[in-house]
Amino acid sequence: MRWGGWALWLALAVSGIVACAPVERRARAAELAQRPIRVVATTTLVADLVRRIGGDRVEVAALMGPGVDPHLYKARESDVWKLMRADLIVYHGLHLEARMADVLARMSRWAPVVAVGEAIPPEDLRYPPGFEGTPDPHIWFDVRLWMRAAEAAAQALRDLDPAHADLYAARLHAYQRELEDLDAWIRSEVARIPPGQRVLITSHDAFGYFGRAYGFEVRALQGISTAAEAGLADVQALADFIARRRIRAIFVETSVPFRYLEAVQEAVRARGWAVRVLGPLYSDALGDPNSPQGTYAGMMRYNVETITRGLLEPLPSEERR
């Protein structure tokens, strides 16, 4: 179905079932202590977070798979059926899933809907210029902010399943200890890079929180959202910056087409400097579930190792000097 057609169908379906929803919610509440909670998450990052907190108490389905760009994702009819069967819906928020906003709003009449990103205090968010006060949603690149998101996921599970509140609290505590260790490891790895070389250039501006937390100057070809493509002026401006600063490496992302940074690389070469395009980095989605990058901690470690290696390894022209 086209979006407009089945969005109308969804509105009618939800309005038709809302009258019996309270009865069904009471029946579900009685069952929860005896069966796993059905959770639908939007992104792979949110799904991983819920699994870490919920353990065996949750069955988590992610609407978006590895490499899917949440900025551009539109809900499908099959997604709506999954959402309607959920005991709990968890999404990121902060306008990350902008094209799913209407669907998620309607689903709040059918099941609890929680945005983990909304747990971050406004004063801790980034508000890049040119986005009319809209916050940067990529909070997971600051590990300490992601710890706050974990608290929101744990609270949602405790509210829905108070019989197992102690289990969720214990798993949250253990996961936050793991994230504290991850944060310390990142800081030790970054310390190997001389401050003047801590310049991170990527396809789109997803790493602002990473730069703020770990001491990087961050530049990108595209803005916070990938919805708008970069123009020729953006390519030329970034190429000027790279050639002037003698940047060794720029990094492509799994959810953004490689061709964008290829154009930058060519423009840099025309200015008499060679820059490597490395990666890919994982930005808006985790990797394959069976890979180390399929978890949040594994993704962060991979990204940091890739960035550190790329910025420390000299170019062939520098080795000949």
Side-chain angles (χ1 to χ4, degrees), residues 248 273 276 309 312-321:
R248 291 174 173 176
W273 180 250
R276 292 183 294 246
R309 184 169 59 251
L312 285 177
E313 185 177 341
L315 294 166
S317 58
E318 294 175 309
E319 291 174 340
R320 289 195 296 268
R321 292 175 186 173

Side-chain angles (χ1 to χ4, degrees), residues 231-243:
L232 180 60
D234 301 309
V235 171
Q236 298 301 324
L238 188 56
D240 286 340
F241 174 82
I242 293 168

Side-chain angles (χ1 to χ4, degrees), residues 263-290:
V264 174
Q265 187 181 40
E266 289 298 322
V268 171
R269 186 176 293 113
R271 288 160 171 77
W273 180 250
V275 64
R276 292 183 294 246
V277 178
L278 301 180
L281 300 181
Y282 293 84
S283 55
D284 290 336
L286 300 179
D288 187 278
N290 298 317

Side-chain angles (χ1 to χ4, degrees), residues 1-306:
M1 294 183 185
R2 301 181 66 176
W3 166 255
W6 74 261
L8 176 61
W9 165 84
L10 171 61
L12 293 173
V14 171
S15 64
I17 61 178
V18 72
C20 63
V23 175
E24 184 166 342
R25 280 200 296 271
R26 286 195 296 270
R28 286 182 178 180
E31 296 173 352
L32 286 178
Q34 307 300 322
R35 64 169 177 84
I37 299 170
R38 294 190 296 266
V39 182
V40 173
T42 50
T43 70
T44 54
L45 283 150
V46 173
D48 176 72
L49 187 65
V50 176
R51 291 188 186 104
R52 290 307 306 264
I53 305 302
D56 293 340
R57 288 291 303 138
V58 297
E59 293 177 351
V60 183
L63 299 183
M64 307 177 201
V68 174
D69 184 348
H71 298 284
L72 303 179
Y73 188 82
K74 293 183 179 180
R76 300 166 296 183
E77 185 179 355
S78 59
D79 294 336
V80 176
W81 286 116
K82 292 176 185 177
L83 291 165
M84 290 176 65
R85 293 187 65 253
D87 299 311
L88 175 66
I89 298 166
V90 186
Y91 70 110
H92 183 275
L94 302 177
H95 304 279
L96 181 70
E97 307 98 334
R99 298 191 179 188
M100 291 191 64
D102 290 344
V103 172
L104 293 169
R106 290 189 179 101
M107 285 296 121
S108 66
R109 301 173 64 186
W110 177 248
V113 178
V114 176
V116 295
E118 307 296 339
I120 309 303
E123 62 270 19
D124 291 335
L125 296 172
R126 296 178 66 246
Y127 297 88
F131 282 83
E132 301 178 354
T134 300
D136 178 353
H138 303 89
I139 58 171
W140 55 87
F141 282 120
D142 180 341
V143 176
R144 295 200 171 272
L145 292 184
W146 200 235
M147 291 169 67
R148 300 290 295 272
E151 293 173 3
Q155 187 60 54
L157 290 169
R158 286 195 294 264
D159 290 344
L160 190 64
D161 183 22
H164 294 89
D166 290 346
L167 181 147
Y168 302 131
R171 291 187 65 89
L172 171 65
H173 178 71
Y175 189 45
Q176 290 193 317
R177 290 288 300 272
E178 180 181 330
L179 294 185
E180 287 175 354
D181 291 343
L182 174 64
D183 183 72
W185 176 83
I186 292 173
R187 294 179 190 280
S188 68
E189 284 295 294
V190 167
R192 297 169 49 209
I193 307 173
Q197 292 178 226
R198 294 179 199 167
V199 183
L200 177 60
I201 299 176
T202 57
S203 307
H204 90 294
D205 192 10
F207 290 82
Y209 289 104
F210 181 85
R212 188 180 71 178
Y214 304 111
F216 282 81
E217 181 180 355
V218 177
R219 296 290 183 102
L221 183 58
Q222 293 175 276
I224 296 298
S225 172
T226 56
E229 292 193 1
L232 180 60
D234 301 309
V235 171
Q236 298 301 324
L238 188 56
D240 286 340
F241 174 82
I242 293 168
R244 184 175 67 253
R245 294 285 297 271
R246 296 297 192 258
I247 306 299
R248 291 174 173 176
I250 57 180
F251 299 89
V252 70
E253 302 166 45
T254 57
S255 57
V256 181
F258 177 62
R259 66 178 182 275
Y260 294 136
L261 285 189
E262 277 188 312
V264 174
Q265 187 181 40
E266 289 298 322
V268 171
R269 186 176 293 113
R271 288 160 171 77
W273 180 250
V275 64
R276 292 183 294 246
V277 178
L278 301 180
L281 300 181
Y282 293 84
S283 55
D284 290 336
L286 300 179
D288 187 278
N290 298 317
S291 71
Q293 298 89 332
T295 68
Y296 170 72
M299 176 273 292
M300 289 294 289
R301 287 181 179 274
Y302 167 86
N303 277 356
V304 170
E305 289 170 351
T306 302

